[in-house]
Amino acid sequence: MKDIAKELGVSVATVSRALKNSPRISQDRRDMIKAYAREHNFFPNIIAENLRNSKLRPIKNIGVIVPQLTHFYFSSVLSGIEEEALAHGYNIMVAQSNEQYEREVKICRAFYENKVCGIIVSQAKDTMKYDHFQNLIDHGMPLIFYDRICTGIDASRVVVDDYMGAYNAVAHLIETGCRRIAFYGSAFNLEISKNRFNGYKDALLKHGIPYDESLTRLCDNRHDAELITPEILDTENGPDAFFAVNDDTAIGILYSAKRMGFRVPQDISICGFTNGERAVACDPMLTTVEQRGVRVGEEAANILIGKVEGHIPLEKVERRIVRTRLVLRGTTR
């Protein structure tokens, strides 16, 4: 604010009042000061303001950004965050990016301006630029990633052991007699996609099965799985098993395979990744990797609250891994 005041030839108090939309400052001057602040990417220091007001008005609101609330995994993470937050006297403010970068940027700004004490986020699928995250960190805002982490930002994160979860699932498929195992995954700009693909590929190589690129598809939802699966199953040397990046995709594979007359698991084995409610609502019930979303949420909230309350230094980067487990059901032999 001192820089703005010096540049525009006004007092710091005038700048402060204008940014707070005080009627004591004329509309023209308010507009001029706000425009200058926007052009120079100015934000008030939220941490400093929180500290000034903490004795009178503690800020105990946590911002949570979810890619899509309809997914069981993200809703279970949210449940874990909320339980941990409430146990420590915090409230949560939730917004979904709907997998859109521009929306994610706006949410980050809105949370900052609404004075949350920190933000917990899983990045959108199409996020390729990370300035909005770095700006939060640069302005002293505690930022915790979960599930989809941003490797270009040095921030705390909570993830599941995606690599080992995928490795163990594919190893199980191989050990039960499968040899041509298809992989359905998300775009590789997401770290979780790369880790699950590497777990899949290494399990094949460890068991002496060459990786076949023709069995890999970019597919991470039920709709696309139902479109793609008939094509891949109709080939002369098609797969005898599928490993999918999430349960919805696996259920799409299951539906298509049964519709085509394949028996599951006698002809085709299928394994998903999540262990949501839908995994036990299909026939046969789905073998899947359990992600333990509630635990992920609890860990993320625990780190954030630790940073806000000073138990964990703000500059310390926490990296926590939640272990997965393979849940065997009827879609594998």
Side-chain angles (χ1 to χ4, degrees):
M1 286 194 289
K2 288 179 182 178
D3 292 338
I4 296 173
K6 182 179 179 180
E7 196 66 31
L8 298 180
V10 298
S11 69
V12 175
T14 296
V15 173
S16 177
R17 291 185 184 118
L19 293 175
K20 293 177 180 176
N21 214 31
S22 169
R24 296 174 61 183
I25 309 299
S26 71
Q27 186 65 53
D28 288 345
R29 179 158 288 187
R30 272 184 276 164
D31 291 343
M32 176 187 69
I33 292 171
K34 287 179 181 179
Y36 185 90
R38 282 195 302 271
E39 288 168 9
H40 292 79
N41 200 31
F42 169 81
F43 294 95
N45 189 320
I46 198 74
I47 300 302
E49 186 171 343
N50 286 352
L51 289 172
R52 282 199 303 273
N53 297 331
S54 60
K55 292 182 180 178
L56 300 174
R57 182 172 51 87
I59 304 297
K60 286 200 166 187
N61 293 327
I62 297 172
V64 182
I65 304 178
V66 181
Q68 284 188 324
L69 283 166
T70 54
H71 284 284
F72 173 84
Y73 177 66
F74 292 127
S75 63
S76 63
V77 172
L78 185 60
S79 178
I81 293 171
E82 185 171 38
E83 289 305 310
E84 186 74 7
L86 290 175
H88 290 82
Y90 288 74
N91 299 310
I92 64 171
M93 299 169 63
V94 184
Q96 63 173 345
S97 66
N98 205 26
E99 304 289 14
Q100 298 170 20
Y101 163 77
E102 294 293 345
R103 189 162 171 174
E104 185 178 83
V105 171
K106 290 178 182 178
I107 293 169
C108 285
R109 184 175 186 123
F111 276 163
Y112 192 93
E113 292 175 349
N114 279 281
K115 299 179 174 57
V116 297
C117 62
I119 295 174
I120 300 173
V121 57
S122 182
Q123 74 174 66
K125 280 182 188 177
D126 67 353
T127 295
M128 302 290 185
K129 295 186 293 183
Y130 312 110
D131 292 353
H132 55 304
F133 293 139
Q134 190 60 56
N135 283 337
L136 292 171
I137 295 172
D138 291 344
H139 286 85
M141 173 69 71
L143 181 68
I144 316 298
F145 286 98
Y146 68 93
D147 189 51
R148 302 179 191 166
I149 64 172
C150 175
T151 55
I153 299 292
D154 195 24
S156 297
R157 71 279 308 265
V158 181
V159 297
V160 300
D161 56 341
D162 292 292
Y163 173 88
M164 284 307 302
Y167 181 95
N168 291 335
V170 176
H172 170 70
L173 292 172
I174 296 168
E175 289 160 6
T176 55
C178 302
R179 289 296 176 268
R180 289 187 55 76
I181 304 169
F183 175 83
Y184 282 18
S186 302
F188 287 148
N189 66 299
L190 298 175
E191 197 68 15
I192 61 168
S193 302
K194 289 187 283 188
N195 289 338
R196 291 177 195 178
F197 175 71
N198 288 335
Y200 156 79
K201 194 173 179 180
D202 285 354
L204 294 177
L205 298 177
K206 180 71 173 180
H207 291 81
I209 300 175
Y211 166 65
D212 185 346
E213 188 176 357
S214 70
L215 295 176
T216 298
R217 295 289 189 279
L218 187 63
C219 176
D220 63 1
N221 60 77
R222 177 172 179 168
H223 176 266
D224 290 348
E226 289 183 17
L227 292 177
I228 292 170
T229 302
E231 171 201 334
I232 195 171
L233 283 175
D234 202 30
T235 57
E236 185 177 345
N237 194 22
D240 57 8
F242 291 83
F243 172 65
V245 73
N246 57 46
D247 285 356
D248 281 352
T249 304
I251 291 169
I253 297 167
L254 173 62
Y255 177 82
S256 295
K258 289 176 64 178
R259 189 174 55 186
M260 293 177 70
F262 289 93
R263 298 171 301 162
V264 180
Q266 294 90 338
D267 302 323
I268 301 289
S269 290
I270 303 168
C271 181
F273 205 114
T274 301
N275 197 30
E277 293 174 350
R278 295 175 188 174
V280 294
C282 54
D283 181 28
M285 290 191 288
L286 185 67
T287 291
T288 186
V289 178
E290 184 175 43
Q291 283 185 272
R292 298 177 64 202
V294 172
R295 185 61 182 163
V296 170
E298 290 171 346
E299 290 286 346
N302 180 265
I303 295 172
L304 182 59
I305 293 168
K307 286 179 176 289
V308 171
E309 298 187 350
H311 309 307
I312 301 173
L314 191 60
E315 66 279 3
K316 183 180 179 184
V317 175
E318 288 276 317
R319 295 180 175 88
R320 298 186 187 176
I321 299 175
V322 175
R323 301 298 174 192
T324 57
R325 72 183 182 99
L326 182 62
V327 181
L328 301 178
R329 298 195 182 98
T331 58
T332 55
R333 302 166 193 165

